[in-house]
Amino acid sequence: MNYTNSKLRVIIICGIFAALTAILAQITIPIPVVPISGQTLAVGLTATIIGSRYGAIAMICYALLGAAGVPVFAGLKGGAQILLGPTGGYIFGFILTAYVTGLILEKTKYTLTMAMIANTVGMLITLIFGAIQLKFVLDYTWAQAIGTGVFPFIVVGLIKAFLASWLGLAVRKRLLQAKLLPQFHKAA
Amino acid sequence: MNNIIIGQYVPGNSIIHRLDPRTKIIVIFFFVIFVFFANSVASYGLLVLFSFGCAFATRIKLEYIAKGLTPVWLLIVFTFFLHLIMTREGDVLFTIFSFPIYSGALIQGISISLRFFLLILVTSMLTLTTTPIEITDAIERLLQPLKKIKFPVHELALMMSISLRFIPTLLQETEKISKAQASRGVDFKSGPIKERMQAIVPLLVPLFVSAFKRAEDLAMAMEARGYQGGEGRTKLRELKIESRDRWTFLFFAVVIFCLFLTRA
């Protein structure tokens, strides 16, 4: 097996972004009325910075770490019981969310409008996955699942999507200026 | 947060602790499937007996296990009442405030919340008795067959180990950066929303910059030591299936057999 050094770098970067997601998930940004947990924010940031494919891989790694019992989910929770529990769908949703958010940005432009669209679509994917698992684990009807799992989070979700787009673009810009991203993309 | 690597692991020397992590993962995987087959009082009783038997066998204090389940209690109770109110099957048992409660609703409420409780109890056994490193090793071994379809099993396990290794480091870094920026006058806790949001940028940028730098350092260090990928690498800790693992599988098979006998 020919092991190019770029592959190793991708593995390390994805691993580190999974770790960053775990850390950001524990941070709450104190905004009045709706304190924003860093977990969904981290998903948007990861997708914006390292792109669709590696973002999704980082999220798979994050979910597996949680499954292995490391308390990486919001509120220092961890363990397979969280993934299989009623709220586990949101975490599985992160994988597709990161992929789609990254993909939309890669196919269009890194502007605030596009980032906002990409992150809103991503947020909806997360919520839909969450509602599906909520329905099956707790034997809810579709109406109950959407009522408890999607609607209450839409407004907060939009605020989070805006924050993720804005911060993601700001951080990406700085990383490009520091010539850290082109190196990674060339290597990848 | 400081013992994030240990996770929920409670050190011990019980039979459950000493089982091969693969045995525990496989048994729990099938338990999660078979719990949905229970449909009678006897079959639920059997599963309750099995789950509590496992919990006692870990020799971890029951209060400690219950403490780990606190976040889900509320959901269990909520689900119970939701089914109690929404289900309309069977006879009317009694009415509360002119609201009829059906017998079918009571049965469904109890069975779904009990099933859910058992799922949570048994899956938490894995993380209570096994370290994350052991679980990572076990996942790598169990997914080995997927290598045939070019699924990067070794790479994924390596990625998880790297993540585990970097969580404490990056956590310290986050604390250091936020203190450094606070000393420069960045205010995270007061001021208009727009300023507070802007205050996150000087926290995130150095964090991501240092993450990329550390990745580069680690890649170089690994290359310098001749890292070649998964092919032909030996392990520090070898997993071994022993007789207690075989007995566990046999015992679990008997439990599942009884489950099908006691189904309604």
Side-chain angles (χ1 to χ4, degrees):
Chain A
M1 193 158 101
N2 183 18
Y3 218 93
T4 55
N5 62 2
S6 64
K7 193 173 173 189
L8 181 59
R9 275 176 180 74
V10 168
I11 293 172
I12 295 171
I13 280 289
C14 291
I16 285 186
F17 268 80
L20 281 172
T21 309
I23 290 164
L24 289 178
Q26 314 311 330
I27 296 173
T28 314
I29 299 158
I31 285 175
V33 191
V34 274
I36 289 176
S37 109
Q39 196 171 13
T40 36
L41 191 69
V43 181
L45 281 175
T46 304
T48 316
I49 294 167
I50 59 174
S52 54
R53 248 187 95 213
Y54 305 134
I57 295 174
M59 288 304 130
I60 293 173
C61 180
Y62 175 67
L64 279 175
L65 276 178
V70 192
V72 291
F73 304 140
L76 279 184
K77 281 182 224 153
Q81 70 269 26
I82 304 289
L83 278 176
L84 296 171
T87 54
Y90 296 103
I91 291 152
F92 290 120
F94 289 163
I95 298 167
L96 190 65
T97 300
Y99 188 77
V100 172
T101 310
L103 196 68
I104 293 176
L105 282 172
E106 278 158 20
K107 295 282 172 200
T108 57
K109 270 186 196 149
Y110 286 87
T111 58
L112 191 60
T113 327
M114 282 324 294
M116 186 68 203
I117 293 169
N119 275 296
T120 310
V121 173
M123 172 201 76
L124 287 176
I125 292 172
T126 306
L127 290 181
I128 289 166
F129 265 78
I132 292 172
Q133 184 149 345
L134 204 60
K135 180 202 168 345
F136 285 107
V137 173
L138 297 181
D139 256 353
Y140 284 179
T141 60
W142 284 111
Q144 286 170 341
I146 291 169
T148 45
V150 177
F151 285 135
F153 302 111
I154 282 192
V155 177
V156 185
L158 282 174
I159 299 172
K160 278 190 200 178
F162 172 73
L163 203 60
S165 330
W166 184 71
L167 284 175
L169 290 176
V171 173
R172 200 186 114 90
K173 209 176 106 195
R174 303 289 176 87
L175 287 174
L176 283 172
Q177 281 169 355
K179 296 204 165 50
L180 282 164
L181 276 185
Q183 278 180 352
F184 170 58
H185 281 303
K186 216 192 318 164
Chain B
M1 200 68 190
N2 289 326
N3 49 12
I4 192 163
I5 289 312
I6 302 160
Q8 297 148 308
Y9 176 67
V10 182
N13 199 25
S14 73
I15 172 86
I16 309 270
H17 279 87
R18 278 178 291 149
L19 283 177
D20 188 290
R22 284 173 293 174
T23 310
K24 290 186 255 191
I25 292 176
I26 292 169
V27 165
I28 288 169
F29 178 78
F30 283 105
F31 181 87
V32 167
I33 295 170
F34 285 117
V35 91
F36 287 92
F37 283 87
N39 61 357
S40 65
V41 177
S43 52
Y44 269 111
L46 182 77
L47 291 179
V48 169
L49 217 63
F50 174 76
S51 316
F52 277 88
C54 289
F56 278 115
T58 59
R59 302 227 195 114
I60 297 169
K61 278 194 189 125
L62 279 184
E63 299 101 80
Y64 188 85
I65 299 176
K67 219 175 87 191
L69 300 180
T70 26
V72 290
W73 276 123
L74 201 71
L75 257 167
I76 293 177
V77 175
F78 180 69
T79 309
F80 174 72
F81 281 107
L82 198 74
H83 281 284
L84 196 64
I85 294 166
M86 303 301 264
T87 314
R88 306 251 145 120
E89 280 164 32
D91 314 312
V92 176
L93 284 180
F94 47 86
T95 46
I96 309 167
F97 304 120
S98 74
F99 207 95
I101 299 293
Y102 294 83
S103 63
L106 197 65
I107 293 169
Q108 189 167 18
I110 291 174
S111 64
I112 286 168
S113 18
L114 185 64
R115 180 207 292 163
F116 180 44
F117 168 74
L118 291 179
L119 275 180
I120 305 285
L121 181 68
V122 171
T123 37
S124 68
M125 272 327 108
L126 175 69
T127 44
L128 284 170
T129 62
T130 325
T131 57
I133 293 285
E134 276 183 306
I135 299 176
T136 310
D137 277 351
I139 291 175
E140 183 175 359
R141 280 308 306 274
L142 283 173
L143 295 181
Q144 213 59 249
L146 290 180
K147 263 196 171 160
K148 294 226 167 68
I149 55 163
K150 294 259 169 85
F151 185 82
V153 178
H154 167 77
E155 285 76 3
L156 204 61
L158 175 68
M159 204 184 288
M160 285 173 72
S161 318
I162 289 172
S163 258
L164 273 177
R165 157 72 184 75
F166 272 102
I167 288 173
T169 316
L170 290 172
L171 195 67
Q172 271 181 354
E173 196 106 346
T174 315
E175 276 165 21
K176 224 190 265 171
I177 293 169
S178 69
K179 276 181 192 152
Q181 300 293 29
S183 75
R184 291 182 177 88
V186 175
D187 188 359
F188 300 104
K189 294 212 166 76
S190 62
I193 290 176
K194 194 168 169 254
E195 275 176 26
R196 269 195 246 181
M197 274 168 59
Q198 278 169 342
I200 309 168
V201 178
L203 180 69
L204 285 183
V205 171
L207 185 63
F208 282 97
V209 167
S210 90
F212 274 94
K213 288 207 169 127
R214 278 178 193 281
E216 189 58 35
D217 288 350
L218 179 63
M220 265 201 264
M222 285 175 77
E223 274 158 13
R225 286 166 179 76
Y227 177 76
Q228 294 276 313
E231 222 57 34
R233 249 170 88 85
T234 52
K235 285 206 157 292
L236 182 60
R237 297 170 300 269
E238 283 286 354
L239 296 172
K240 239 169 98 191
I241 293 282
E242 292 183 48
S243 67
R244 56 172 168 262
D245 296 293
R246 290 189 203 100
W247 282 110
T248 308
F249 283 128
L250 190 69
F251 173 68
F252 185 66
V254 172
V255 170
I256 295 307
F257 182 69
C258 294
L259 174 76
F260 278 95
L261 285 184
T262 51
R263 281 188 76 203

